[in-house]
Amino acid sequence: MRAEGTAPGRPVPDGQDVQELLRRCARDVVDVAEGIRAVSARTSTALFSPDLAASARRRPRTGLAARWALLRALTNKQGLGGSAITAPKGVGHVLGAAGEVLGRESLAALVAVGSLRLRIAAVLIDHPEFERDPGMRRLTEAVTADRDLESVRALRALFRDQGAQRALSGLAPLLAELLAIRALLDEDPQNDETGWALAAGRALSADPLHGVSAARVAHLDKGEGAAEAVELTDQERQVIAPEGSFLGFLRNIEMLSTDGRILVQNVRGPDGVVRYVVQAPGMAPGRPRNDSPQDFVGAWRNLFLTDSPYTRSILLALDDYGIPRGADLALIGHSEGGIALMNLAQDEEFCRTYRVTHVVAVGSPVDSKRPADPRTWVASITNQHDIVPVLDGRGAGSAFDPHPAWYEVDYIGPGHEFPLCHMIHEYIEHLRTVIPEARERVDDALAPYRGPVVRTQAYQLKDRANPPEGYPFLTLPTASVPTAAGPVDVPVRYYDSSAAHLCFPVHAAMARSLLPDVTWLAPSRLGSRAMAVLSVYEHRCTTIGPYTEIVLSVLVDDLWRPSPYDIALDLLRRVDLRRTGRYVLSLAVTSEEARVVAQEIWGQPVLRVTAEADLMGREIRAGSPDLGITVGGRLGRGVPCPEADWILYGRRGGSTVRTLVRAHGRLRLHRGGGIGLRLDTAAAEPFAGQLRRLGIDTARPLFVLTCPQFMLHRSAGALLPR
């Protein structure tokens, strides 16, 4: 049973709904494609059967002719047009792979793509804005035309022009269809199984990882899980619904937020029987957490594995709560919570212990799961703009319904922004105003649980086995330092960053003129030249938030006993014993917290600007319209270098600030010929003026140091009496 939260589509002349007609056509076309694929499989099996091979050796004239005819029927574009990939090993596998790489798609795959395009057309009836949006149109055309590079460029342009949140919400109704088409047309024949599962609209239950080794995911799943009974605050107790109802349970989940807690309640039903309700929130936003399985990594495990720290933690909570064997149990969850509870419902041992009467999943990808007890009533409620439910492989408006006995609501909410459309608060509001009939239907099903709440207990779930994030490199003692932006823990830790350092030889006298007017601060010389470094960082995950950073610095000598060979000798010393370093002439960052930390803790001259950087590939790009600076180009082949720890110098009042920076990642050295720096004619001071005075506004770097992904930490600045 499926409930739609939208108005019917446009009728065709005979009164049928256009959307439903397109979906039925898509199902029929998929059946044809599967029939063609079955013929291809039988043909391939016959072609490489041992009996036919033996016959060809005994009677080459007729046997080889038969094999040649089968091969042509299987691979010729006028025939089945595909490959011999169904043969498990040997020549057939090689021939099939070669055919795919050369760009030949099978007839079955092309027919299946026709089905997927029909499904896209059905989705566009409810979302005509996608046809009008040039970015979405460009992406759809590129993916369906099997143009990889154009697809990547279209996706990047979509995110740049519209912002990641709007782009994700726009992709949600089409995501499964686009991915399925891409899998069917992929040069790697091994991806065909994924495409076929999606083309048929099936949830990926038989082999949900498709290319990601189940052993690898199981290796990630080492958390033991734990649950500890915790007390609710007085304010939270006032919010808890006093009686059982669908919206009451969802509001309890909203109250719990995503801090790793679940709720278990006793409800006395209208018949006087005490029943039990488990309420589980979704994953916490942000980077993976060490104290709870309720994060993105936990959600990924729950999606593809029936056993995870989240499900084990819930089992421990139920055991502590003391639910009697055979008691009626309702499981209600949002997002990751819905996945974890469905995992419990499909566990046969769990269903022998308790009678799972109801499972209600809101905003959860649960189509690949099935309760062990066929009597369990299941409801799934999803917003078509919510990208999370698409992760199970079944897109919005899918032509295939894997669970006809479930009560499913797949509606279009008024808000399209992700992640807002995924929040439990939005689902509650939509159930109240947009799809009230769904709320009433679920409430009717939960009638045995509609009564006074007898007991409420919250449990804090924990994931004890995971080491701290960044372990062991970033597990170090910290101290809180007050700043204008609030207290900041130092060292500041960077969990996921990229960097490119463009190194330019410059006139020593000009470099000296840009340094503070003190006699003891001098640029390091390499022969007759000094060295200026333009560094670009993309910090994706840090303890002061994500930001982009552009730095101009000059290598300087020991502040007390300068030597002509300081910089060369310092490379042989530990970083904490080094006397040379890089003096920061100008710094630009994209967040206010980073600006305050750089100025107040590290003593660096800093501006807040808009900037973006993409430094993870061979083609690097960075720029700031506020500074008028653009850096870009293609890196040549590089050679590995030792990890680059360094010292940064700044000024605060009459003192020099020395900051120790330690990094952990794979640094590479490249020739600088392929990388260029460009300044706009009206580029802003002081950054652009310093670049011009150093003469590097039109120069190519001598060499470039890059690190596509690394961790680092920056200490608090130490004041030096100089």
Side-chain angles (χ1 to χ4, degrees):
M1 180 169 23
R2 191 173 186 84
E4 298 286 349
T6 59
R10 298 187 298 270
V12 293
D14 61 0
Q16 297 183 64
D17 183 88
V18 174
Q19 246 188 351
E20 185 56 33
L21 181 62
L22 288 170
R23 289 171 182 164
R24 285 207 304 271
C25 290
R27 284 195 292 269
D28 293 341
V29 174
V30 162
D31 291 340
V32 173
E34 288 186 324
I36 296 172
R37 188 169 185 261
V39 171
S40 298
R42 291 195 296 271
T43 305
S44 181
T45 301
L47 174 62
F48 296 103
S49 69
D51 292 341
L52 186 59
S55 174
R57 287 194 297 270
R58 288 194 304 269
R59 300 179 180 85
R61 184 175 179 181
T62 57
L64 288 177
R67 296 193 80 183
W68 178 248
L70 286 172
L71 181 62
R72 283 179 57 82
L74 183 64
T75 61
N76 194 281
K77 63 182 179 179
Q78 276 79 36
L80 296 172
S83 68
I85 200 64
T86 51
K89 292 181 181 179
V91 178
H93 192 89
V94 173
L95 287 174
E100 296 287 350
V101 169
L102 290 173
R104 179 179 297 169
E105 288 83 26
S106 71
L107 177 61
L110 293 176
V111 173
V113 167
S115 169
L116 290 165
R117 286 173 176 153
L118 287 171
R119 286 171 58 190
I120 288 177
V123 172
L124 290 176
I125 291 177
D126 277 336
H127 302 276
E129 69 272 16
F130 293 162
E131 285 186 304
R132 297 190 295 269
D133 185 282
M136 290 298 300
R137 188 170 62 247
R138 178 187 175 195
L139 176 63
T140 304
E141 291 173 353
V143 173
T144 55
D146 190 23
R147 298 195 299 268
D148 287 343
L149 185 58
E150 183 63 23
S151 299
V152 173
R153 287 174 176 168
L155 188 60
R156 285 185 175 178
L158 189 68
F159 275 71
R160 280 199 303 269
D161 293 345
Q162 297 181 335
Q165 293 183 355
R166 183 179 169 195
L168 282 173
S169 61
L171 282 173
L174 291 176
L175 184 63
E177 282 73 13
L178 295 176
L179 293 178
I181 289 178
R182 188 61 199 91
L184 287 169
L185 298 178
D186 200 311
E187 286 81 359
D188 182 2
Q190 299 300 335
N191 288 340
D192 285 350
E193 292 299 326
T194 305
W196 278 103
L198 290 170
R202 300 190 188 98
L204 305 181
S205 55
D207 181 14
L209 299 180
H210 288 296
V212 180
S213 164
R216 257 189 92 182
V217 175
H219 174 71
L220 294 174
D221 189 20
K222 298 299 184 183
E224 301 167 6
E228 178 184 354
V230 294
E231 295 298 323
L232 297 173
T233 66
D234 292 339
Q235 182 178 1
E236 289 173 336
R237 288 191 175 279
Q238 293 175 4
V239 176
I240 291 290
E243 292 193 356
S245 69
F246 182 37
L247 285 190
F249 296 138
L250 292 185
R251 289 193 177 103
N252 292 346
I253 291 175
E254 182 184 19
M255 178 275 299
L256 291 171
S257 185
T258 54
D259 60 0
R261 293 180 297 169
I262 65 166
L263 205 66
V264 185
Q265 290 184 309
N266 290 15
V267 178
R268 190 178 302 278
D271 55 0
V273 177
V274 173
R275 296 177 176 86
Y276 301 84
V277 186
V278 180
Q279 297 142 68
M283 69 180 183
R287 62 175 184 263
R289 300 173 55 182
N290 307 310
D291 60 338
S292 169
Q294 202 170 314
D295 57 9
F296 178 76
V297 175
W300 187 254
R301 292 167 175 166
N302 275 301
L303 181 61
F304 293 126
L305 301 171
T306 58
D307 180 49
S308 72
Y310 200 164
T311 56
R312 289 195 290 272
S313 299
I314 295 175
L315 284 172
L316 292 171
L318 299 183
D319 183 64
D320 180 81
Y321 191 81
I323 299 178
R325 189 178 182 88
D328 288 356
L329 188 63
L331 308 175
I332 300 176
H334 168 245
S335 186
E336 182 189 359
I339 309 172
L341 293 178
M342 184 62 82
N343 283 340
L344 291 178
Q346 68 179 11
D347 183 272
E348 293 183 1
E349 180 62 30
F350 184 81
C351 291
R352 282 194 293 267
T353 305
Y354 310 110
R355 182 172 177 264
V356 181
T357 61
H358 298 75
V359 179
V360 181
V362 177
S364 304
V366 294
D367 283 329
S368 62
K369 304 181 184 298
R370 189 183 305 274
D373 188 343
R375 298 171 297 176
T376 300
W377 188 87
V378 179
S380 173
I381 299 173
T382 56
N383 181 345
Q384 288 190 17
H385 283 285
D386 182 358
I387 198 171
V388 174
V390 181
L391 296 176
D392 58 14
R394 183 179 173 205
S398 173
F400 182 77
D401 187 356
H403 306 290
W406 289 12
Y407 178 70
E408 294 187 325
V409 180
D410 189 27
Y411 72 99
I412 301 175
H416 296 176
E417 296 296 325
F418 184 89
L420 182 63
C421 62
H422 179 64
M423 306 301 286
I424 184 66
H425 175 78
E426 290 296 299
Y427 275 103
I428 292 173
E429 183 62 22
H430 296 166
L431 284 163
R432 194 179 63 83
T433 59
V434 180
I435 47 172
E437 68 281 359
R439 182 197 71 235
E440 294 168 0
R441 179 68 180 86
V442 176
D443 261 333
D444 289 344
L446 290 173
Y449 295 86
R450 300 204 62 177
V453 174
V454 179
R455 178 190 171 197
T456 297
Q457 180 62 61
Y459 285 90
Q460 182 73 51
L461 307 186
K462 298 184 178 180
D463 189 1
R464 293 184 301 189
N466 286 340
E469 188 178 355
Y471 176 85
F473 179 71
L474 293 179
T475 50
L476 65 165
T478 62
S480 181
V481 176
T483 70
V488 173
D489 288 340
V490 292
V492 177
R493 282 144 289 153
Y494 296 76
Y495 294 88
D496 182 18
S497 296
S498 300
H501 307 279
L502 284 62
C503 302
F504 300 86
V506 297
H507 290 291
M510 184 55 68
R512 177 65 187 87
S513 69
L514 297 178
L515 294 172
D517 189 18
V518 291
T519 58
W520 38 263
L521 192 59
S524 298
R525 291 175 180 262
L526 298 172
S528 61
R529 310 278 279 181
M531 182 66 70
V533 182
L534 180 64
S535 302
V536 181
Y537 299 91
E538 182 186 11
H539 300 305
R540 292 175 289 272
C541 181
T542 84
T543 53
I544 57 174
Y547 68 99
T548 300
E549 177 180 1
I550 304 176
V551 192
L552 177 62
S553 60
V554 171
L555 273 63
V556 294
D557 284 335
D558 183 356
L559 306 184
W560 275 270
R561 298 181 181 86
S563 167
Y565 305 104
D566 265 354
I567 187 170
L569 293 175
D570 252 7
L571 294 177
L572 305 177
R573 299 188 181 109
R574 287 184 355 218
V575 64
D576 53 325
L577 299 179
R578 289 181 190 168
R579 297 163 180 150
T580 63
R582 289 159 44 196
Y583 188 90
V584 176
L585 299 177
S586 287
L587 168 65
V589 297
T590 57
S591 78
E592 180 62 19
E593 189 169 12
R595 187 196 67 80
V596 171
V597 170
Q599 179 177 306
E600 298 184 12
I601 296 181
W602 298 323
Q604 297 169 355
V606 59
L607 299 171
R608 183 179 177 185
V609 299
T610 59
E612 63 176 13
D614 182 0
L615 309 173
M616 296 191 71
R618 294 286 294 273
E619 198 85 30
I620 66 172
R621 176 188 57 81
S624 169
D626 294 341
L627 297 176
I629 295 175
T630 304
V631 175
R634 183 170 180 81
L635 296 166
R637 299 188 59 160
V639 296
C641 293
E643 292 177 350
D645 299 333
W646 62 90
I647 300 294
L648 292 179
Y649 288 115
R651 293 283 289 176
R652 187 188 306 154
S655 302
T656 300
V657 182
R658 181 180 187 265
T659 302
L660 174 64
V661 182
R662 291 185 179 272
H664 177 59
R666 297 181 178 179
L667 190 70
R668 296 187 71 85
L669 174 67
H670 306 263
R671 296 181 61 182
I675 306 300
L677 166 67
R678 182 171 60 83
L679 291 184
D680 294 345
T681 54
E685 296 286 344
F687 212 114
Q690 292 173 340
L691 290 172
R692 290 191 180 99
R693 287 194 287 276
L694 289 170
I696 61 178
D697 53 324
T698 57
R700 294 277 181 174
L702 179 63
F703 58 89
V704 179
L705 292 166
T706 64
C707 198
Q709 192 166 20
F710 67 104
M711 297 183 291
L712 73 151
H713 57 80
R714 297 184 184 182
S715 69
L719 290 178
L720 303 178
R722 299 236 47 174

